[in-house]
């Protein structure tokens, strides 16, 4: 990443010098000179270890990864709930004394998915979706707060130390680390409905730097990514001096991406169906809204910080035609900036397989229900 950033700055300087002496007609050309320091990864999140109980994960059989590769995708993100690979009494809330009880047998199951992805030529982004002391989807009791407690930070770094040592010999072209999913600060960190907002930047910086230093001390060349603040959507220029890429989200506006999602809205069934493009809730919803939303992320690119969209897509209650029109605008904008994407799940309510949408004519694909229109859209950018 440091090397990439140096090359970016060098090239930018040379280009600027050239433009300064160029004819006015050349300087007036609308040319996007920004390059993304991260690869153009496109693919899916795999939720095999998303549940704190490993056996309850949404397992993806081997053929799913083969299909991804055959369809032209090159990336999988694996969000992991850290209790899924620990050995402790699951009838009780996890204790501080439990968080280092690594279960080798469970970790080997994660190894198997990583190896399978690599056999299919897919880059793997390993993410702690629930980390010691924090998860955006609270609803459990953590023994401490990642953003405030040193003991939690020590445990967080210890987990990344374990993963770094385990995968030390895997090239960064094949494996990157995604530190912690969607940082957020709640008044009650154990209640997912508790009000809150972005993590104070000084706390996020301290946590990210400590974990980064832990990883780099073992694997100096490892690509490491930090999620946007405030639940993933807020770019963090304050982290730009660290050797980190940043991960945005493709969920804007949430009135489309999370339409009638029960974990977001208290009375989801009362919501009117969204419109795209057009007037909705007193505002015009269209391509300009997307461009405005991602402007801070483009500024990161201009600073030489690599950007990837780690999660995106829409819940199955969004009218399909509206979803496809909106998402094509999102993907087209990301593609213009060479920002890759990870759809939130391959098979399931956000996926291209078995989404449970009621307004889709599914194609039978080896016994799976394939949303061919959605796949065709994604393959335009794969």
């Amino acid at each position: 990443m440091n090397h990439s950033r140096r090359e970016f700055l060098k090239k930018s300087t040379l280009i600027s010098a050239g433009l300064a002496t160029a004819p006015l007609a050349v300087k007036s050309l609308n040319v996007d000179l920004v390059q993304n320091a991260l690869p153009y990864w496109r693919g899916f999140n795999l939720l095999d270890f998303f549940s704190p109980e490993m056996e309850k994960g949404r397992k993806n059989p081997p053929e799913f990864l083969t299909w991804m590769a055959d369809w032209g995708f090159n990336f999988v993100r694996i969000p992991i709930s850290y209790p899924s690979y620990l050995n402790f009494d699951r009838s009780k809330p996890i204790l501080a004394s439990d968080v280092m009880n690594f279960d080798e047998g469970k970790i080997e199951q994660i190894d198997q998915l990583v190896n399978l992805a690599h056999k299919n030529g897919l880059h793997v982004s390993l993410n702690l979706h629930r980390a010691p002391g924090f998860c955006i989807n609270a609803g459990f009791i953590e023994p401490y707060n990642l953003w405030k407690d040193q003991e939690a930070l020590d445990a967080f770094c210890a987990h990344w130390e374990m993963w770094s040592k385990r995968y030390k010999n895997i090239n960064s072209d094949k494996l990157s680390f995604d530190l912690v999913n969607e940082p957020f600060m709640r008044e009650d960190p154990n209640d997912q409905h508790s009000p809150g907002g972005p993590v104070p930047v000084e706390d996020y910086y301290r946590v990210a730097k400590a974990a980064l230093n832990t990883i780099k001390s073992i694997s100096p060349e490892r690509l490491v990514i930090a999620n946007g603040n405030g639940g993933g959507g807020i770019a963090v220029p304050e982290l730009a001096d660290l050797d980190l890429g940043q991960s945005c989200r493709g969920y804007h506006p949430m009135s489309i991406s999370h339409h009638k999602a029960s974990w977001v809205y208290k009375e989801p069934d009362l919501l009117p169906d969204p419109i795209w493009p057009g007037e909705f809730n007193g505002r015009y919803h269209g391509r300009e809204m997307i461009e405005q939303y991602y402007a801070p992320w483009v500024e990161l690119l201009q600073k030489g910080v690599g950007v990837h969209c780690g999660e995106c897509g829409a819940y199955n209650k969004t009218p399909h035609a509206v979803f496809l029109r909106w998402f094509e605008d999102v993907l087209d904008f990301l593609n213009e900036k060479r920002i890759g994407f990870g759809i939130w799940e391959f098979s399931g309510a956000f996926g291209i397989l078995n989404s449970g949408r009621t307004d889709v004519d599914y194609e039978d694909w080896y016994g799976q229900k394939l949303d061919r229109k959605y796949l065709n859209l994604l393959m335009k950018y794969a």
Side-chain angles (χ1 to χ4, degrees):
M1 291 287 290
N2 278 333
H3 176 74
S4 298
R5 197 164 298 160
R6 286 196 299 269
E7 287 297 308
F8 165 84
L9 294 172
K10 179 180 178 181
K11 290 176 182 177
S12 297
T13 301
L14 292 172
I15 291 169
S16 297
L19 286 179
T21 59
L24 181 61
V26 174
K27 287 193 285 187
S28 66
L29 289 175
N30 183 22
V31 179
D32 187 354
L33 300 175
V34 176
Q35 293 185 349
N36 193 342
L38 285 179
Y40 188 48
W41 295 317
R42 290 93 63 213
F44 301 86
N45 283 256
L46 300 180
L47 309 188
D48 297 50
F49 309 108
F50 179 68
S51 171
E53 298 181 57
M54 184 171 283
E55 64 276 8
K56 294 183 179 180
R58 307 176 200 177
K59 302 304 182 189
N60 289 270
E63 59 268 26
F64 282 12
L65 284 83
T66 301
W67 297 342
M68 289 179 203
D70 288 347
W71 286 329
F73 300 100
N74 63 1
F75 171 86
V76 292
R77 180 173 180 259
I78 305 177
I80 301 173
S81 179
Y82 83 95
S84 71
Y85 57 82
L86 299 181
N87 182 17
F88 68 101
D89 184 352
R90 298 179 184 278
S91 68
K92 302 176 183 178
I94 193 167
L95 303 175
S97 57
D98 296 327
V99 300
M100 298 298 295
N101 293 337
F102 299 131
D103 187 318
E104 180 65 20
K106 289 183 170 65
I107 294 174
E108 286 176 356
Q109 293 185 49
I110 297 174
D111 292 343
Q112 291 170 12
L113 181 58
V114 171
N115 292 335
L116 180 62
H118 288 160
K119 287 180 180 178
N120 284 279
L122 303 169
H123 178 90
V124 173
S125 172
L126 198 70
N127 163 252
L128 285 186
H129 189 277
R130 177 177 171 185
F134 174 74
C135 182
I136 186 71
N137 303 117
F140 46 80
I141 298 175
E142 276 288 317
Y144 34 43
N145 185 329
L146 175 60
W147 312 115
K148 295 296 183 183
D149 300 330
Q150 184 61 43
E151 190 178 3
L153 179 54
D154 291 343
F156 182 60
C157 290
H159 278 251
W160 279 120
E161 179 182 21
M162 182 273 292
W163 288 116
S164 297
K165 289 179 177 178
R166 192 173 192 90
Y167 294 145
K168 181 178 180 179
N169 295 324
I170 297 180
N171 191 285
S172 205
D173 290 341
K174 300 175 66 175
L175 178 73
S176 58
F177 289 159
D178 182 337
L179 292 178
V180 59
N181 186 70
E182 299 179 355
F184 197 80
M185 182 73 83
R186 298 186 188 280
E187 291 180 10
D188 180 353
N190 296 317
D191 180 2
Q192 67 186 46
H193 297 296
S194 177
V199 175
V201 170
E202 61 273 16
D203 291 324
Y204 191 9
Y205 188 97
R206 176 175 48 82
V207 168
K209 183 177 181 180
L212 177 66
N213 287 345
T214 298
I215 294 166
K216 292 290 188 175
S217 70
I218 299 164
S219 298
E221 300 303 317
R222 181 68 62 210
L223 280 175
V224 184
I225 293 174
N227 282 209
N229 205 347
I234 301 174
V236 196
E238 295 86 354
L239 300 182
D241 67 324
L242 299 177
D243 191 12
L244 289 167
Q246 292 194 32
S247 178
C248 62
R249 292 294 178 265
Y251 294 142
H252 183 76
M254 289 190 73
S255 58
I256 289 182
S257 66
H258 288 69
H259 181 53
K260 293 188 176 181
S262 60
W263 64 94
V264 176
Y265 301 102
K266 290 185 177 179
E267 297 182 302
D269 292 336
L270 299 181
L271 294 173
D273 283 344
I275 296 170
W276 190 277
E279 293 286 340
F280 185 72
N281 286 340
R283 180 182 176 186
Y284 184 80
H285 283 47
R287 171 68 179 246
E288 184 178 344
M289 174 184 282
I290 294 171
E291 294 174 353
Q292 292 174 350
Y293 175 75
Y294 286 108
W297 295 95
V298 174
E299 291 178 8
L300 281 184
L301 291 176
Q302 293 167 342
K303 294 177 183 290
V305 178
V307 175
H308 184 260
C309 184
E311 293 183 20
C312 53
Y315 187 46
N316 62 10
K317 298 296 190 293
T318 305
H320 199 237
V322 173
F323 161 56
L324 292 179
R325 288 196 297 269
W326 162 74
F327 203 48
E328 180 157 22
D329 278 345
V330 173
L331 292 174
D332 188 64
F333 179 84
L334 294 176
N335 177 65
E336 284 184 5
K337 307 302 179 184
R338 305 308 285 172
I339 297 174
F341 60 82
I343 306 299
W344 182 253
E345 73 184 332
F346 185 67
S347 175
F350 280 72
I352 61 173
L353 294 180
N354 311 310
S355 64
R357 295 180 182 274
T358 59
D359 55 351
V360 171
D361 292 326
Y362 291 102
E363 175 182 330
D364 180 77
W365 182 263
Y366 298 97
Q368 310 293 326
K369 294 182 178 180
L370 171 64
D371 183 346
R372 175 62 71 173
K373 287 184 178 180
Y374 187 9
L375 174 60
N376 287 344
L377 171 60
L378 294 179
M379 288 178 68
K380 287 176 60 176
Y381 303 96

